Amino acid sequence: MPSLLNTCMGGICCCAKQHILVMMAFFAIFNQYTMRVCLHLAITVMTDDQNATVSGVEIPDEDRFDWDEHEQGIILSSFYWGYTLSHFASTFVADHYSKHLLGVSVLVTAIFTLLTPLAIDYGGAWLLVVFRVIEGIGEGATFPVLSVLVAHWVPANRRGFFGSFIFSGCQIGALAGGIGTGYFIEAHGTWRTTFYFWGALAILWYIVWLLIGYESPETHPYISEQEKSLLLEQLAESKKSSEKLPIPWRRIFTSVPLWGLIAGQIGHDWGTYLIITDLPKYMNSILQFSVADNGLVTYGPFFSMWLFSILGGWLADLQIKKRCVSRTNARKLWTTIGSLLPAIFLMLASYTGANRVPVVMFFALCVTFLGGFYPGVKVNSNDLSPNFAGVLMGMVNGIGAITGILTPYIAGLLTPNQTIEEWRIVFWIAFVVLNVTNVLFLMFASGDIQPWNYPAGSEQPQQSQ
């Protein structure tokens, strides 16, 4: 049996191990997002009025719940309570247990997703909130760990493309999770199936990850010497010492470029979480799409966002390689694209009324250009400090995740009657946040490796290209 396993692993091994790692990392985020967004669409039919026909599907009375907009806001925001906490906690272990922490983060989310219908049956809204908090705890470790894996496997000159591809698992996961959830609900006449399917799929990923996932080229037993040597040479710019490096907390907390990055992350998260969490409710109440069509028009544009983020990552690497712009200015350019254009199209959509075609078009453009954040802020923590990428991502994504608590709660408070005028206030707030945070990023961000990335006495950082 061991020899058979080795033969199978060796067969996979004809592929570059870096590419396998990138694909598995992509699908880790993909699975996490399918499990995250399925409730956002399912709740539109779980709370639909018993006599309403907007959802386009007949849901049994026992599967409908009398949760008002405020309660729904709490339910949708509860995921981010655990998500934020887990980000900060994972910073202490992400750099040392990246393989197993990534696997456990997906597994925990998967198990509690599978058990969500049971939790609602026995505990109602309060137990659903508890389960969503635990799912958030599980998922919160994903991004810090993936930043560590990117630092171990992806050289700086490919970081824009590979980093954008890995983190674009968010978009494809939201796309598949949203459209798939709408289809499952309409096809089976129940919201329960979606939780079973996405949870089971994530468990399958976990099993595969245990077999072929490895923390670094040095620890991979099947990597060729040629690929290992090439990767280690390319990664030498930021190679950490063999000893555990003390985390320079004071210098990190006083780093101006880091706080510029945090500002950019807040803008990204506010816009993205508003779309992912609250747009299904807008499409249901204002435009009155059926649940299947709701999933398509809300999450379908995440495919174009994915394409744009990949294209942006390739262009950003090319711009830096050809010395058209510095790495710092490349990150600022793409973050501005990801902030300014979505803010404009968001407001255009809010002033178009209930005319479906232009509203859907403007929201689609808003979502598409949010992809500019991926070759911008999403890979910037690795620019600043490859040695402490997990620590930085935990801080940056953890602080940004607080917006996931705020956006659904604020939307629930400001839209008790689900009118266009109420929603317009929600969109104006997002417009201001996107633009103010972008200005702060432009003022303070950097693409240079920071001096505190290196242990005392080691080689000083090179300047960005």
Side-chain angles (χ1 to χ4, degrees):
M1 181 63 71
S3 61
L4 177 61
L5 179 60
N6 289 340
T7 301
C8 294
M9 292 299 101
I12 296 176
C13 306
C14 58
C15 301
K17 303 309 168 293
Q18 182 191 58
H19 296 166
I20 293 174
L21 184 282
V22 167
M23 289 303 301
M24 290 301 295
F26 168 87
F27 280 111
I29 301 182
F30 170 91
N31 281 293
Q32 294 285 40
Y33 262 72
T34 60
M35 294 184 288
R36 184 190 302 196
V37 306
C38 61
L39 178 63
H40 302 160
L41 191 59
I43 202 169
T44 64
V45 297
M46 295 166 69
T47 58
D48 209 5
D49 185 270
Q50 294 188 12
N51 298 316
T53 58
V54 172
S55 65
V57 61
E58 291 293 331
I59 300 294
D61 290 346
E62 61 269 20
D63 285 346
R64 297 177 186 269
F65 305 96
D66 187 23
W67 301 332
D68 62 26
E69 294 299 325
H70 181 252
E71 289 176 299
Q72 292 178 52
I74 293 175
I75 291 169
L76 293 176
S77 72
S78 60
F79 173 92
Y80 297 96
W81 306 348
Y83 187 69
T84 301
L85 176 64
S86 182
H87 265 85
F88 294 118
S90 64
T91 61
F92 297 99
V93 294
D95 282 302
H96 309 293
Y97 308 101
S98 51
K99 172 180 177 174
H100 295 295
L101 187 56
L102 179 61
V104 169
S105 72
V106 175
L107 181 62
V108 168
T109 312
I111 291 173
F112 280 86
T113 298
L114 279 169
L115 295 176
T116 292
L118 188 65
I120 296 173
D121 288 340
Y122 284 93
W126 74 267
L127 192 54
L128 174 59
V129 166
V130 172
F131 269 49
R132 291 294 285 182
V133 170
I134 297 173
E135 289 175 37
I137 291 174
E139 192 165 330
T142 302
F143 280 91
V145 173
L146 288 177
S147 286
V148 172
L149 292 172
V150 168
H152 288 174
W153 282 94
V154 181
N157 64 344
R158 302 301 305 277
R159 191 174 296 144
F161 178 77
F162 278 140
S164 294
F165 178 80
I166 289 172
F167 293 119
S168 72
C170 303
Q171 296 126 42
I172 301 302
L175 169 72
I179 295 177
T181 295
Y183 169 78
F184 291 143
I185 293 174
E186 189 170 86
H188 301 116
T190 177
W191 46 263
R192 297 173 183 270
T193 309
T194 185
F195 295 99
Y196 300 143
F197 180 83
W198 298 124
L201 188 64
I203 290 177
L204 177 62
W205 175 92
Y206 172 73
I207 295 171
V208 176
W209 174 250
L210 287 181
L211 296 175
I212 66 174
Y214 292 93
E215 295 177 341
S216 67
E218 296 98 322
T219 61
H220 203 302
Y222 307 110
I223 192 171
S224 68
E225 286 301 321
Q226 180 182 5
E227 183 183 2
K228 181 192 291 186
S229 299
L230 180 61
L231 283 174
L232 294 181
E233 179 183 351
Q234 293 173 333
L235 291 162
E237 171 194 355
S238 56
K239 183 75 171 68
K240 64 172 70 175
S241 68
S242 58
E243 299 179 0
K244 180 180 177 181
L245 301 179
I247 300 174
W249 289 112
R250 183 183 63 82
R251 300 183 72 187
I252 288 175
F253 279 117
T254 57
S255 173
V256 173
L258 175 61
W259 287 103
L261 171 57
I262 289 172
Q265 182 71 32
I266 290 172
H268 163 268
D269 285 357
W270 195 286
T272 302
Y273 292 150
L274 177 65
I275 296 294
I276 289 177
T277 307
D278 296 308
L279 193 57
K281 296 175 66 62
Y282 183 90
M283 294 296 190
N284 177 67
S285 60
I286 303 300
L287 300 184
Q288 305 209 334
F289 280 107
S290 69
V291 65
D293 289 342
N294 193 341
L296 182 62
V297 297
T298 298
Y299 297 108
F302 280 87
F303 181 73
S304 58
M305 180 184 178
W306 176 69
L307 292 177
F308 185 71
S309 67
I310 298 301
L311 175 63
W314 176 77
L315 287 174
D317 284 343
L318 186 63
Q319 289 171 322
I320 297 168
K321 181 179 180 180
K322 298 293 185 180
R323 299 184 183 276
C324 301
V325 295
S326 67
R327 186 172 293 136
T328 295
N329 287 335
R331 301 299 181 233
K332 291 181 178 181
L333 170 64
W334 288 99
T335 298
T336 299
I337 292 173
S339 301
L340 181 60
L341 294 180
I344 292 172
F345 288 118
L346 190 66
M347 293 313 303
L348 288 174
S350 73
Y351 281 93
T352 309
N355 191 338
R356 284 185 172 186
V357 173
V359 171
V360 170
M361 180 186 70
F362 287 137
F363 275 128
L365 289 170
C366 170
V367 173
T368 298
F369 287 111
L370 281 170
F373 277 111
Y374 286 79
V377 300
K378 296 304 287 186
V379 296
N380 191 224
S381 60
N382 288 83
D383 295 329
L384 299 181
S385 178
N387 280 347
F388 302 108
V391 173
L392 296 197
M393 182 59 83
M395 290 179 57
V396 172
N397 233 40
I399 293 174
I402 296 173
T403 65
I405 299 173
L406 296 176
T407 52
Y409 184 75
I410 291 173
L413 286 179
L414 296 179
T415 60
N417 302 306
Q418 293 290 298
T419 65
I420 292 179
E421 292 74 20
E422 290 173 344
W423 275 104
R424 192 171 293 144
I425 298 173
V426 175
F427 295 143
W428 266 115
I429 293 173
F431 180 89
V432 172
V433 171
L434 281 164
N435 283 288
V436 170
T437 54
N438 182 55
V439 170
L440 294 173
F441 187 80
L442 290 175
M443 292 173 60
F444 303 119
S446 173
D448 293 330
I449 295 180
Q450 299 301 294
W452 40 265
N453 175 69
Y454 294 83
S458 67
E459 182 183 351
Q460 291 301 304
Q462 302 175 7
Q463 293 301 308
S464 63
Q465 300 177 27

